[in-house]
Amino acid sequence: MFLADTSSPAVSWNLLADFQQMWAYPFMVNAFRAGAIVSVVCAAVGWFMVLRRQTFAGHTLSVAAFPGASLAILLGVSTSLGYFGFCVAAALVIAALGRKGRDAGAEESAVTGTVQAFALACGYLFISLYKGLLEGPTALLFGSFLGITTGQVTLLAIVGALVLAVLAVIGRPLLFATVDPEVAAGRGVPVRLLSTVFLVLLGAATAEASQITGTLLVFALMVIPAATAQQLTSRPGRSLALAVLIGFGSCWLGLIAAYYQPYPLGFFVTTIAFTGYVLAHLGRALHEALGWSRSRGRTPLSIGGTA
Amino acid sequence: MDPSARSTGPKSGAEPVLSLRGAAVRVGGRTLWSGVDLTVGAGEFTAVLGPNGVGKSTLVKVLLGVLPAAAGEVRVLGGVPGARNAAVGYLPQRRSFDASVRIRGVDVVRLGLDGDRWGIPVPGLGRAKRRAARERVAEVVELVGASAYAHRPIGQCSGGEQQRLLIAQALIRRPQVLLLDEPLDSLDLPNQSAIAALLGRICHQEGVSVVMVAHDVNPILHHLDRVVYIAEGGAVAGTPTEVITSETLTRLYRTPVEVLRTSDGRLVVVGQPEAPALHSDRHSEPGAGGGHVSG
Ligand SMILES: Nc1ncnc2c1ncn2[C@@H]1O[C@H](COP(=O)(O)OP(=O)(O)OP(=O)(O)O)[C@@H](O)[C@H]1O
Ligand SMILES: [Mg+2]
């Protein structure tokens, strides 16, 4: 996973020089580009996912990325195809089987769990069928930033732009349907349709993230930024923007760390994001303990210990 | 004050705001009620009463257009239910936000104003409009007396505080019709009468028709123009003095029911069946026992 051909690059602490050094390698440029796209898309979609309490669905969709990628390798087609195909298909299955009534949370999680188990089993089968050159499922499960091609970056950018565009169009009714489904339905918001569309967006976003952090660490980019931002502010617009910033920051910092240190990228991204989350939590607890929020009548922390 | 005194009925000639004719509803394969006739005019305050599980919330959903009526004709604001929902304010029954919901009360109220609009607001454009929206939110939050906690995350507000904010959400678009499903739920007695008085004022001064599901008629008795009492199978509608009487309710429930008036003017219904214990095929006789008064 570590760069074998560069003999231990050293940090000069001159950011400009460091970036120039890193970006001398085309694969690092691609990694930073892909990281930027994926972290922004995932933070935005993840913000809604956390608010909708659909993290379990998100996790299942990311698990579906694993059989997708392994089947693509088995068949010799592009892994991107496998990622997007399987994640979006799993999203449609969850949407079709679950959420019949309004309080269908338990049923939905049962359906989701079923899909997840089946996806993992398929991935295992595909991996064992492919006895050849596959070095092992580690890269699929924990991610790799080496060898992201310019073609992959383009695909990530196109899908990411589509996801963000759809999210921008449906954002407000989706928020309404999330916070207050009955009133939204009464106002003519197509709550069920939005829920399906959102699952498809979630599938696309997890497919993107899986290609950077691997299947198992998708939440580093999807849940942690949103959860951190929602700790820091309860204003929807601000907290969404903050989530995007935190996601972007942890991803790029993780890439820089992974360039200089011989440990996996997924570890760095997750650790940095997690540190931010813990700091935000502590900050908020401190604020509440000191009673500042009460005297101002709202939760006042708006910037704080981001990654 | 005698509640019948303000029962003036809808302005003659004008089309009623809400009307049901021989309406019936089926949920999950069984008929909840049938043969329901009701007319509500502009600026009338109507209470929907009846035991648990009889279909009061279902009636509200039919008026909102999210559930179809199985029979009869239902019209809201001159169209089919759901067609003019921009002018209908709706408060569903008993919602409470989980303590972890990190959205402010004002944001929830604001969603009632423009939450159904697609697309995101372009920064810099429509600044005046945004300010108007903010002012409207502040105004309606002030109206229901929720200013002190509207900027807190709604999950951290108490049940009664959340209820006030949700009433503000229902009011924000200046609706012509308010459909409120147990809005006084989780409010204490002084707050019940304060909210009832507020709704009565909005109803009679601003000409908004209010349809309100309630379990206790007493907090709203002074403001009521019309009562719908739903029982298994049928319903009676009319002024409170016509409907909330021993004879009418006994006829409706086919079991002795007594209405007592306490010395302070409160009504107490004794012997009313608590809940429709068994849903037999008695439902097939439509509207039995329901003397329908409509106006
Ligand atoms: N989706 C559904 N499928 C099947 N039955 C339903 C459904 N929704 C409601 N019901 C049934 O319809 C009946 C009426 O429900 P409704 O919520 O209208 O009662 P209600 O009069 O509002 O009662 P409460 O006073 O408890 O609020 C109940 O017996 C309920 O079990
Ligand atoms: Mg009800």
Side-chain angles (χ1 to χ4, degrees):
Chain A
M1 195 139 296
F2 181 59
L3 323 172
D5 55 338
T6 45
S7 49
S8 272
V11 203
S12 73
W13 295 112
N14 174 351
L15 268 184
L16 197 65
D18 286 341
F19 271 111
Q20 271 171 352
Q21 188 198 358
M22 278 187 283
W23 287 353
Y25 302 96
F27 70 84
M28 279 314 288
V29 175
N30 278 343
F32 274 95
R33 280 187 188 146
I37 297 163
V38 167
S39 58
V40 168
V41 170
C42 284
V45 174
W47 187 81
F48 281 97
M49 177 183 79
V50 168
L51 206 64
R52 293 173 67 80
R53 292 153 204 273
Q54 287 190 311
T55 43
F56 188 44
H59 184 235
T60 299
L61 295 178
S62 69
V63 164
F66 171 56
S70 36
L71 182 66
I73 293 171
L74 184 65
L75 299 179
V77 298
S78 143
T79 46
S80 301
L81 193 67
Y83 279 120
F84 285 115
F86 264 64
C87 289
V88 171
L92 290 174
V93 170
I94 294 175
L97 294 182
R99 284 250 157 185
K100 293 232 172 51
R102 89 189 140 84
D103 288 323
E107 187 198 312
E108 189 183 56
S109 68
V111 168
T112 310
T114 311
V115 172
Q116 185 177 98
F118 183 60
L120 265 182
C122 289
Y124 188 40
L125 172 73
F126 298 148
I127 288 280
S128 51
L129 282 178
Y130 190 89
K131 297 207 171 67
L133 289 166
L134 193 62
E135 58 180 44
T138 320
L140 296 184
L141 291 177
F142 294 103
S144 159
F145 63 105
L146 300 176
I148 294 174
T149 63
T150 311
Q152 269 175 306
V153 173
T154 313
L155 184 63
L156 287 177
I158 293 171
V159 173
L162 271 176
V163 169
L164 289 181
V166 174
L167 204 58
V169 171
I170 68 169
R172 207 160 21 171
L174 183 65
L175 183 65
F176 199 5
T178 300
V179 174
D180 215 342
E182 283 168 277
V183 177
R187 276 286 163 77
V189 172
V191 175
R192 261 213 87 170
L193 177 70
L194 280 181
S195 154
T196 304
V197 170
F198 180 71
L199 276 171
V200 171
L201 295 185
L202 193 57
T206 45
E208 295 223 316
S210 304
Q211 299 177 45
I212 300 287
T213 60
T215 281
L216 290 184
L217 296 178
V218 157
F219 276 8
L221 291 178
M222 298 208 56
V223 172
I224 306 181
T228 310
Q230 289 181 18
Q231 292 286 326
L232 293 175
T233 171
S234 51
R235 293 167 168 247
R238 248 182 230 184
S239 108
L240 180 57
L242 203 56
V244 168
L245 270 181
I246 294 170
F248 178 79
S250 355
C251 188
W252 271 34
L253 283 177
L255 277 167
I256 295 171
Y259 177 79
Y260 289 108
Q261 292 296 322
Y263 304 109
L265 171 67
F267 166 75
F268 285 118
V269 174
T270 312
T271 306
I272 292 165
F274 181 69
T275 309
Y277 178 77
V278 171
L279 287 180
H281 208 80
L282 287 178
R284 195 181 135 207
L286 203 66
H287 253 264
E288 277 171 9
L290 295 178
W292 291 347
S293 55
R294 188 137 317 156
S295 62
R296 283 184 53 186
R298 65 184 154 105
T299 311
L301 249 189
S302 55
I303 28 167
T306 67
Chain B
M1 166 182 161
D2 184 9
S4 68
R6 47 160 76 266
S7 175
T8 48
K11 290 170 205 98
S12 49
E15 188 178 358
V17 172
L18 295 173
S19 68
L20 286 92
R21 304 229 164 282
V25 77
R26 290 179 72 77
V27 174
R30 71 191 158 88
T31 303
L32 290 180
W33 35 257
S34 55
V36 173
D37 291 338
L38 170 70
T39 309
V40 177
E44 280 193 322
F45 200 130
T46 308
V48 180
L49 304 168
N52 283 134
V54 82
K56 303 182 297 297
S57 299
T58 310
L59 171 65
V60 170
K61 284 178 190 156
V62 167
L63 292 173
L64 196 65
V66 294
L67 260 182
E73 193 198 17
V74 181
R75 294 186 70 75
V76 176
L77 292 166
V80 294
R84 297 211 43 210
N85 272 5
V88 176
Y90 172 46
L91 178 87
Q93 186 174 5
R94 222 172 288 124
R95 289 171 293 168
S96 60
F97 293 90
D98 193 276
S100 66
V101 175
R102 301 280 301 162
I103 293 283
R104 295 174 306 165
V106 279
D107 299 315
V108 175
V109 174
R110 173 72 190 269
L111 281 172
L113 185 66
D114 57 8
D116 54 348
R117 224 169 281 162
W118 304 92
I120 44 167
V122 184
L125 268 179
R127 190 164 295 163
K129 223 166 151 190
R130 266 214 302 286
R131 170 132 45 84
R134 248 198 328 272
E135 276 164 11
R136 176 65 188 148
V137 171
E139 187 186 354
V140 79
V141 162
E142 183 70 49
L143 185 69
V144 299
S147 307
Y149 40 82
H151 286 271
R152 268 198 251 152
I154 195 155
Q156 290 175 13
C157 294
S158 78
E161 291 169 346
Q162 291 183 12
Q163 193 75 324
R164 279 185 185 240
L165 287 165
L166 292 172
I167 292 172
Q169 187 201 48
L171 288 173
I172 193 164
R173 274 210 205 167
R174 307 181 198 278
Q176 285 167 261
V177 180
L178 271 177
L179 303 176
L180 308 170
D181 202 340
E182 304 199 16
L184 304 185
D185 190 64
S186 76
L187 297 176
D188 55 22
L189 281 176
N191 275 306
Q192 282 188 6
S193 35
I195 291 289
L198 169 71
L199 292 173
R201 214 162 56 233
I202 289 165
C203 177
H204 294 122
Q205 288 175 8
E206 298 183 23
V208 176
S209 308
V210 177
V211 175
M212 175 169 169
V213 178
H215 270 292
D216 183 5
V217 73
N218 288 303
I220 47 174
L221 197 57
H222 296 307
H223 312 285
L224 280 184
D225 298 310
R226 197 163 295 278
V227 166
V228 186
Y229 227 109
I230 306 184
E232 217 187 331
V236 253
T239 62
T241 35
E242 286 163 1
V243 176
I244 312 177
T245 62
S246 305
E247 301 81 64
T248 313
L249 293 186
T250 301
R251 200 148 38 88
L252 182 63
Y253 287 113
R254 289 181 231 107
T255 168
V257 174
E258 213 176 334
V259 177
L260 307 173
R261 188 177 279 273
T262 61
S263 56
D264 59 348
R266 298 171 62 84
L267 291 177
V268 182
V269 179
V270 186
Q272 165 191 337
E274 271 315 309
L278 35 116
H279 294 277
S280 54
D281 13 15
R282 274 192 293 148
H283 291 308
S284 44
E285 20 174 329
H292 307 301
V293 188
S294 53

